[in-house]
Amino acid sequence: MSILLKNVYVLDPHSPAHTKQANILIEKGKITSLNGKSAQKEIDLRGKMVSCGWVDLNAQFCDPGNEHREDINSGSEVASAGGFTDVCLIPETEPPITSKSDVSYLIKKAPNYLDIHPLAAISDSLQGDNLTEMLDLHEAGAVAFSDGDKPIWNAKLLLKALQYTNDINVPIVQNARDLNLSQSTHMHEGKVSTLLGLRGEPSLSEELIIQRDIEILKYSGGSIHFSRLSTARGVELIKKARKEGLSVTCDVGIHHLLFSENDIGDFDTNHKSLPPYRSEKDRKALVKGVKDGTIEAICSNHRPLDQECKQLEFDLADPGSLSLQTFYPSLLKLSKEIPMEILIERVTSGPRKIMKMEGFKIDEGAKAKLTIFDPDRSWKLNDTSNLSKSRNSPFWNSELKGVVIGTINGTNIKLK
């Protein structure tokens, strides 16, 4: 079936129609014209915008093992409603993603409108002691290797992993956190943690691991990607490493660009995060890093949790929040500080470059991999609109501006 997206505003710096209104004709999953005249199905999108499909580098669907929080079906619905055509899933499931069959399970279970890209475990059982069969996992479809929310604490293991992956050209994904400095902490260490009487994690926890890993990378070669950067010093360390010619990339969680330690004052456990929200100075440094290109991608850091893990005292609650379905409203909030054109780059070409994925552009002959969104429509996240099995969102019952109209992934069209 042919489809015509009429009068839609294009946001894609690589497209000849960038910042222009176009009539995008899609036939057999490919864009055949930017000035189409007619099609079997025509949709008037005047006032709406379109970009290349969005990519999330860090999400958790809890499947297998904790399907009561989220599963592949519900997670895929949430991701699509958030604007994503591609999602990278961390390996922290039960059991973890450590075998070829585990990788195949995630890929095969994905619906046709969403491409799932597994991050396979770097160590057996995520314990940090012994490497998994990395080459076999990559051949099965793993796009990168990580221990998820657990940092790669074993320097020898990291060294070997970087050496093994040097030849296959895939990154090691690190959650930069020192286990000893972050143990039994609940927020960022600073004046606010002191006032609230909560044990804080110092910025040094992230910075020490980044410095260590960069030195290992100099010795081993390979590529390392620091996921969910949270500190100003971390941004500077990565900027310096890249100037030295090292293959270092990073992303930041969407909520770390919006919130700081000051937002925890009312002890809302939906603001308890891993890594923790840092100081306002750190938040501004992250915003600057996104603007100047040091931070090449913005991820969701989507972590569904049941209420038994969240309806507790702040120091007893688990860290993590929903963020996929509210991703576009969050981008709109951020557009007051960062131009939307840059934000779109950080969720399209930026993450694709990091994970060595196929690139796309809105042009004749290209595969139709698109996200369509409306910047003017408002809605509220509640039990009626929420598509996740969990409800641990800092935006719960909030009025939000910005709605994703739908996604197109080749011949697979998912529109509201």
Side-chain angles (χ1 to χ4, degrees), residues 53-337:
W54 299 354
V55 182
D56 186 12
L57 292 184
N58 195 300
Q60 186 177 46
F61 285 177
C62 310
D63 186 348
N66 283 295
E67 291 89 346
H68 63 287
R69 295 177 175 176
E70 200 83 280
D71 59 27
I72 298 298
N73 292 331
S74 67
S76 298
E77 288 286 342
V78 173
S80 180
F84 293 93
T85 58
D86 300 77
V87 174
C88 296
L89 295 181
I90 64 170
E92 279 185 284
T93 51
E94 294 181 12
I97 308 304
T98 58
S99 70
K100 294 170 68 174
S101 61
D102 295 333
V103 172
S104 297
Y105 170 82
L106 294 178
I107 294 173
K108 291 178 180 178
K109 202 170 181 182
N112 56 21
Y113 56 83
L114 183 76
D115 290 331
I116 286 179
H117 308 275
L119 304 182
I122 193 172
S123 67
D124 286 338
S125 302
L126 306 177
Q127 295 301 305
D129 296 315
N130 301 302
L131 287 177
T132 54
E133 297 292 336
M134 301 177 74
L135 297 182
D136 287 345
L137 289 165
H138 177 58
E139 289 178 2
V143 295
F145 297 93
S146 169
D147 274 353
D149 286 341
K150 295 183 178 181
I152 306 166
W153 58 268
N154 187 328
K156 183 178 180 181
L157 185 105
L158 176 62
L159 173 61
K160 286 183 178 180
L162 285 167
Q163 290 172 331
Y164 285 153
T165 54
N166 208 346
D167 292 334
I168 59 175
N169 194 31
V170 298
I172 299 298
V173 179
Q174 171 70 298
N175 168 31
R177 182 166 53 97
D178 183 278
L179 287 174
N180 292 314
L181 290 175
S182 62
Q183 186 176 15
S184 300
T185 58
H186 310 289
M187 64 176 295
H188 173 63
E189 181 183 82
K191 291 182 180 179
V192 178
S193 65
T194 302
L195 288 171
L196 297 179
L198 294 171
R199 185 173 179 181
E201 176 188 313
S203 299
L204 186 64
S205 172
E206 176 175 285
E207 297 156 8
L208 279 177
I209 297 301
I210 292 176
Q211 292 180 74
R212 183 204 71 169
D213 291 359
I214 287 172
E215 291 303 315
I216 293 173
L217 185 66
K218 289 178 183 178
Y219 179 84
S220 65
S223 299
I224 192 163
H225 176 75
F226 292 102
S227 183
R228 298 167 298 161
L229 207 64
S230 67
T231 67
R233 177 63 175 154
V235 176
E236 292 304 313
L237 289 168
I238 289 169
K239 184 183 294 187
K240 181 175 181 292
R242 288 170 64 175
K243 285 182 179 178
E244 294 174 1
L246 296 174
S247 183
V248 178
T249 56
C250 63
D251 65 53
V252 61
I254 185 74
H255 289 168
H256 285 77
L257 295 170
L258 292 172
F259 303 119
S260 72
E261 60 182 348
N262 299 320
D263 293 290
I264 298 174
D266 61 356
F267 295 100
D268 181 356
T269 59
N270 291 320
H271 280 304
K272 188 173 184 178
S273 174
L274 184 67
Y277 300 162
R278 301 290 183 180
S279 69
E280 180 64 12
K281 178 182 176 182
D282 289 310
R283 192 196 69 81
K284 288 181 177 179
L286 295 171
V287 167
K288 182 181 177 183
V290 170
K291 292 173 73 172
D292 67 23
T294 303
I295 299 174
E296 297 168 283
I298 302 172
C299 72
S300 72
N301 194 20
H302 181 72
R303 297 294 186 272
L305 291 167
D306 47 66
Q307 291 302 288
E308 287 77 8
C309 297
K310 279 297 185 180
Q311 290 183 341
L312 300 166
E313 292 83 355
F314 197 91
D315 58 336
L316 299 177
D318 288 351
S321 59
L322 303 180
S323 51
L324 278 171
Q325 195 170 345
T326 57
F327 195 89
Y328 179 49
S330 296
L331 286 184
L332 278 180
K333 291 176 184 289
L334 270 176
S335 65
K336 297 175 183 178
E337 297 181 86

